[in-house]
């Protein structure tokens, strides 16, 4: 059973939600973050990326940087930019993009659920990427970025959400990228109690996005437990901020690939090698794969449609993924990309950028590009349930949750 509890939320004060809301901290380079933060002094990016408040030469991992985040958080609350609720409750958060709406429950999930596998993961994390968020969460005593979790849909939870959405929203705005964000406070004690009980009927939840933030939250909790040997398990540091969405409302976009060279092969030699594992045909226009087992390939100003050859398909939760087939049958043996996490000859393009980005890369610093059919949420669940890990960059979720709308202080 999943433990998802209501919490005492800190959120923007009335009329400040749009001003504070920010894209996740890790979608920006350091220069991009500084430029974006400078344009909006109350964007939560200023706190999520506190190095933006310092000169460029400042070590972004120095103690003073994290202390700046904590002091800004406190000042914004004192100045009334942020406010704290008086009682624990859930919130509802809805995002609408291109006419498609997904609605999540904002609550606190259990660190122990993460440690014992009730919360399932599908990606490896890197220790060096965790360290920054561990420091940020620990120094601020606040989880500032929600973990995006998914669950198998429940009609009971859907009915409760619908009931809350009939009330006046706490906020409702359209962000600069055209996504509508709306939120509601779950004010009725009976509805809060019903939601908590309904989640206890959910056997597993799944990390959709935020593996490093989730791992960091767990490590901060373990650190606090060590510092407080008399802990009871009820302390707020034993829980982390999460937003949980039903699987049937989520959309995964592909995570496309671009490669710098043909590994010493001529174009003709490469096409011949490709044809050993794919059925290859020229395409008259850019290829956005419309079914599993198909790919687009852009090479020398020509698009190709690739289809997996059935004799090489594997019936396995991981090896059966389209990203795994491409890696196993072409990127590794033909292009020599053995470790896509570390090889500088490969780069990745989120599906939101479209095939135009692939063409642009091939006209600048890359040689060949591949457009993929997106991994499904059910494939993600199958990998996580098998306690396996997906290849790097297998999923791209849109729309992105905004940071700063809901904070968990402990």
């Amino acid at each position: 059973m999943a433990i998802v509890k209501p919490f005492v939320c800190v959120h923007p004060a009335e009329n400040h939600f749009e001003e504070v809301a920010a894209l996740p901290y890790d979608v920006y380079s350091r220069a991009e973050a500084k430029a974006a933060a400078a344009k909006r002094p109350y964007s939560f990016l200023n706190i999520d990326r506190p190095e933006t408040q310092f000169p460029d030469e400042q070590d972004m991992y120095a103690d003073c940087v994290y202390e700046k985040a904590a002091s800004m958080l406190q000042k914004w609350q004192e100045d009334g930019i942020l406010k704290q609720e008086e009682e624990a409750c859930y919130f509802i958060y809805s995002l609408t993009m291109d006419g498609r709406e997904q609605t999540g429950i904002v609550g606190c999930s259990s660190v122990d659920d993460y440690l014992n596998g009730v919360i399932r993961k599908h990606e490896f994390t890197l220790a060096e990427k965790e360290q920054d968020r561990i420091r940020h969460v620990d120094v601020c005593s606040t989880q500032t970025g929600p973990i995006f979790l998914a669950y198998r849909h429940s009609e009971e939870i859907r009915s409760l959400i619908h009931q809350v959405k009939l009330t006046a929203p706490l906020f409702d705005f359209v962000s600069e990228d055209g996504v509508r964000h709306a939120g509601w406070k779950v004010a009725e004690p009976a509805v809060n109690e019903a939601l908590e009980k309904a989640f206890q009927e959910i056997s597993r939840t799944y990390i959709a996005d935020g593996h490093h933030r989730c791992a960091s939250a767990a490590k901060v909790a373990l650190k606090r437990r060590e510092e407080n040997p008399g802990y009871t398990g009820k302390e707020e540091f034993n829980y982390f901020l999460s937003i949980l969405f039903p699987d049937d409302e989520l959309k995964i976009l592909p995570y496309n690939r671009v490669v710098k060279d043909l590994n010493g092969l001529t174009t003709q030699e490469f096409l011949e090698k490709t044809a050993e594992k794919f059925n290859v045909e020229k395409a008259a226009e850019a290829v956005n794969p419309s079914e599993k087992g198909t790919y687009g390939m852009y090479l020398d100003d020509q698009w190709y449609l690739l289809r997996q050859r059935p004799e090489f398909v594997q019936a396995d939760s991981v090896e059966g993924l389209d990203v795994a087939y491409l890696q196993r049958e072409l990127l590794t043996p033909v292009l020599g990309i053995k470790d896509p996490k570390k090889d500088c000859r490969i780069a990745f393009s989120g599906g939101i950028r479209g095939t135009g980005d692939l063409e642009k890369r091939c006209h600048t610093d890359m040689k060949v590009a591949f457009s993929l059919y997106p991994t499904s949420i059910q494939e993600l669940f199958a990998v996580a349930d098998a306690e396996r890990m997906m290849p790097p960059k297998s999923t791209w979720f849109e729309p992105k949750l905004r940071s700063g709308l809901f904070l968990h202080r402990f």
Side-chain angles (χ1 to χ4, degrees), residues 124 126 327 331-333 335-348 391-392:
F124 289 111
L126 300 174
Q327 182 65 46
L331 297 184
T332 294
L335 292 178
I337 309 289
K338 294 181 172 58
D339 186 348
K341 286 190 294 187
K342 297 179 180 178
D343 198 316
C344 62
R345 294 171 53 238
I346 189 170
F348 304 89

Side-chain angles (χ1 to χ4, degrees), residues 101-175:
E101 183 180 17
Q102 64 185 54
T103 303
I105 304 286
V106 186
C108 277
S109 294
S110 164
V111 164
D112 287 315
D113 278 0
Y114 175 77
L115 297 174
N116 64 26
V118 171
I119 298 172
R120 296 281 174 157
K121 53 191 175 183
H122 66 270
E123 286 182 1
F124 289 111
T125 56
L126 300 174
E128 57 268 29
K129 288 187 69 175
E130 292 175 15
Q131 283 304 313
D132 169 56
R133 286 303 100 175
I134 289 171
R135 297 278 305 285
H136 194 281
V137 170
D138 197 27
V139 173
C140 293
S141 287
T142 307
Q143 286 137 10
T144 59
I147 313 302
F148 180 174
L149 299 181
Y151 62 94
R152 290 184 172 87
H153 61 278
S154 154
E155 290 308 317
E156 181 181 3
I157 294 176
R158 198 188 308 275
S159 176
L160 291 166
I161 289 174
H162 176 71
Q163 182 178 334
V164 176
K165 288 174 73 175
L166 294 175
T167 65
L170 189 65
F171 61 85
D172 189 345
F173 65 89
V174 176
S175 54

Side-chain angles (χ1 to χ4, degrees), residues 210-226:
H211 281 79
H212 285 91
R213 275 170 282 147
C214 199
S216 299
K219 288 182 178 177
V220 170
L222 293 175
K223 176 177 179 288
R224 294 290 179 100
R225 289 177 179 183
E226 188 174 333

